Amino acid sequence: MNGYKEILIGIGIKAAASVTLFWSGLHLLYQLFVILVVVDIVTGVLASLVNGQKLSSDVSWKGGIRKVLKAISIGLAAYLDPYVGAPLGALVAGYWCADEGLSIIENYARAGLPLPRELQNVLRSFSHGTESESEVK
Protein backbone atom coordinates (compact mmCIF):
# COMPACT_ATOMS: atom_id res chain seq x y z
CA MET A 1 0.00 0.00 0.00
CA ASN A 2 2.88 2.36 0.75
CA GLY A 3 4.20 1.91 -2.82
CA TYR A 4 0.93 3.23 -4.30
CA LYS A 5 1.12 6.30 -2.11
CA GLU A 6 4.63 7.09 -3.35
CA ILE A 7 3.54 6.57 -6.97
CA LEU A 8 0.58 8.93 -6.52
CA ILE A 9 2.78 11.54 -4.86
CA GLY A 10 5.26 11.25 -7.74
CA ILE A 11 2.48 11.67 -10.31
CA GLY A 12 1.16 14.69 -8.40
CA ILE A 13 4.58 16.31 -8.27
CA LYS A 14 5.13 15.75 -12.01
CA ALA A 15 1.68 17.13 -12.83
CA ALA A 16 2.27 20.23 -10.69
CA ALA A 17 5.66 20.79 -12.32
CA SER A 18 4.14 20.45 -15.79
CA VAL A 19 1.36 22.93 -15.02
CA THR A 20 3.88 25.37 -13.52
CA LEU A 21 6.13 25.09 -16.57
CA PHE A 22 3.18 25.63 -18.92
CA TRP A 23 1.82 28.55 -16.87
CA SER A 24 5.18 30.33 -16.63
CA GLY A 25 5.59 30.14 -20.41
CA LEU A 26 2.30 31.91 -21.12
CA HIS A 27 2.12 35.57 -22.08
CA LEU A 28 0.94 37.72 -19.16
CA LEU A 29 -2.31 38.62 -20.94
CA TYR A 30 -3.09 34.92 -21.40
CA GLN A 31 -2.50 34.36 -17.70
CA LEU A 32 -4.68 37.37 -16.87
CA PHE A 33 -7.44 35.97 -19.08
CA VAL A 34 -7.43 32.64 -17.23
CA ILE A 35 -7.50 34.41 -13.85
CA LEU A 36 -10.34 36.71 -14.94
CA VAL A 37 -12.37 33.75 -16.24
CA VAL A 38 -12.08 32.02 -12.86
CA VAL A 39 -12.95 35.22 -10.99
CA ASP A 40 -15.92 35.83 -13.32
CA ILE A 41 -17.28 32.35 -12.69
CA VAL A 42 -16.87 32.67 -8.92
CA THR A 43 -18.42 36.17 -8.76
CA GLY A 44 -21.28 35.06 -11.02
CA VAL A 45 -22.11 32.13 -8.75
CA LEU A 46 -21.83 34.32 -5.65
CA ALA A 47 -24.04 37.05 -7.17
CA SER A 48 -26.68 34.43 -7.99
CA LEU A 49 -26.54 33.06 -4.45
CA VAL A 50 -26.83 36.57 -2.95
CA ASN A 51 -29.95 37.18 -5.07
CA GLY A 52 -31.46 33.84 -4.10
CA GLN A 53 -31.41 32.62 -7.70
CA LYS A 54 -31.07 28.95 -8.49
CA LEU A 55 -27.99 27.94 -10.41
CA SER A 56 -28.94 26.66 -13.86
CA SER A 57 -26.88 24.00 -15.57
CA ASP A 58 -28.06 25.28 -18.98
CA VAL A 59 -26.79 28.78 -18.23
CA SER A 60 -23.55 27.34 -16.84
CA TRP A 61 -22.99 25.23 -19.95
CA LYS A 62 -23.65 28.15 -22.30
CA GLY A 63 -21.33 30.39 -20.31
CA GLY A 64 -18.66 27.69 -20.21
CA ILE A 65 -18.89 27.14 -23.95
CA ARG A 66 -18.52 30.89 -24.54
CA LYS A 67 -15.42 30.97 -22.36
CA VAL A 68 -13.93 27.99 -24.22
CA LEU A 69 -14.62 29.75 -27.53
CA LYS A 70 -12.87 32.85 -26.22
CA ALA A 71 -9.85 30.74 -25.25
CA ILE A 72 -9.85 29.09 -28.69
CA SER A 73 -9.90 32.50 -30.38
CA ILE A 74 -6.91 33.55 -28.27
CA GLY A 75 -5.06 30.37 -29.18
CA LEU A 76 -5.81 30.78 -32.87
CA ALA A 77 -4.72 34.42 -32.80
CA ALA A 78 -1.51 33.48 -30.96
CA TYR A 79 -0.84 30.80 -33.57
CA LEU A 80 -1.18 33.42 -36.30
CA ASP A 81 1.24 35.86 -34.59
CA PRO A 82 4.34 34.92 -36.61
CA TYR A 83 2.42 34.93 -39.90
CA VAL A 84 0.79 38.30 -39.31
CA GLY A 85 3.88 39.93 -37.88
CA ALA A 86 1.93 41.50 -35.03
CA PRO A 87 1.00 40.43 -31.50
CA LEU A 88 -2.47 39.32 -32.58
CA GLY A 89 -2.78 36.83 -29.70
CA ALA A 90 -2.07 39.52 -27.12
CA LEU A 91 -4.56 41.88 -28.78
CA VAL A 92 -7.33 39.28 -28.75
CA ALA A 93 -6.46 38.30 -25.17
CA GLY A 94 -6.58 41.96 -24.13
CA TYR A 95 -10.01 42.35 -25.70
CA TRP A 96 -11.38 39.27 -23.93
CA CYS A 97 -9.76 40.39 -20.64
CA ALA A 98 -11.68 43.66 -20.91
CA ASP A 99 -14.88 41.71 -21.59
CA GLU A 100 -14.30 39.47 -18.56
CA GLY A 101 -13.52 42.52 -16.42
CA LEU A 102 -16.85 44.10 -17.38
CA SER A 103 -18.62 40.86 -16.56
CA ILE A 104 -16.99 40.80 -13.12
CA ILE A 105 -18.14 44.38 -12.46
CA GLU A 106 -21.67 43.41 -13.58
CA ASN A 107 -21.57 40.52 -11.12
CA TYR A 108 -20.56 42.95 -8.36
CA ALA A 109 -23.53 45.14 -9.25
CA ARG A 110 -25.86 42.11 -9.28
CA ALA A 111 -24.60 41.19 -5.82
CA GLY A 112 -25.60 44.63 -4.60
CA LEU A 113 -22.17 46.17 -4.16
CA PRO A 114 -22.21 49.94 -4.60
CA LEU A 115 -20.76 51.20 -7.87
CA PRO A 116 -20.12 54.80 -8.94
CA ARG A 117 -22.99 56.26 -10.93
CA GLU A 118 -20.77 56.80 -13.98
CA LEU A 119 -19.80 53.13 -13.99
CA GLN A 120 -23.46 52.12 -13.65
CA ASN A 121 -24.29 54.27 -16.69
CA VAL A 122 -21.48 52.65 -18.70
CA LEU A 123 -22.66 49.17 -17.74
CA ARG A 124 -26.23 50.07 -18.70
CA SER A 125 -25.13 51.34 -22.10
CA PHE A 126 -23.11 48.16 -22.72
CA SER A 127 -25.93 45.86 -21.65
CA HIS A 128 -28.40 47.53 -24.01
CA GLY A 129 -26.05 47.11 -26.95
CA THR A 130 -24.89 43.55 -26.26
CA GLU A 131 -28.18 41.87 -25.43
CA SER A 132 -29.48 41.98 -29.00
CA GLU A 133 -26.03 41.28 -30.47
CA SER A 134 -25.41 38.23 -28.29
CA GLU A 135 -28.72 36.70 -29.39
CA VAL A 136 -27.50 36.34 -32.99
CA LYS A 137 -28.32 32.85 -34.20
Side-chain angles (χ1 to χ4, degrees), residues 1-133:
M1 206 60 172
N2 197 18
Y4 291 118
K5 184 177 178 182
E6 291 175 3
I7 290 172
L8 288 176
I9 289 173
I11 290 172
I13 289 172
K14 289 177 184 173
S18 298
V19 168
T20 302
L21 181 64
F22 174 75
W23 181 259
S24 65
L26 287 177
H27 188 283
L28 288 177
L29 279 173
Y30 306 159
Q31 292 178 358
L32 179 62
F33 173 74
V34 171
I35 292 168
L36 289 175
V37 164
V38 171
V39 171
D40 183 35
I41 292 169
V42 170
T43 58
V45 169
L46 292 176
S48 294
L49 293 175
V50 164
N51 290 322
Q53 297 172 336
K54 287 187 176 182
L55 299 178
S56 168
S57 60
D58 286 341
V59 173
S60 299
W61 270 105
K62 286 179 184 178
I65 290 170
R66 287 183 180 135
K67 291 185 187 310
V68 168
L69 289 173
K70 289 177 184 180
I72 289 171
S73 70
I74 292 171
L76 179 62
Y79 176 77
L80 294 174
D81 274 356
Y83 303 107
V84 176
L88 191 59
L91 292 172
V92 172
Y95 173 78
W96 289 126
C97 284
D99 184 63
E100 292 295 320
L102 282 173
S103 180
I104 292 167
I105 293 170
E106 288 173 349
N107 291 337
Y108 288 162
R110 282 184 34 225
L113 294 174
L115 296 176
R117 189 174 317 274
E118 295 81 15
L119 188 55
Q120 291 174 7
N121 293 336
V122 169
L123 289 176
R124 236 179 264 117
S125 69
F126 277 125
S127 68
H128 291 301
T130 58
E131 283 179 23
S132 60
E133 293 170 7

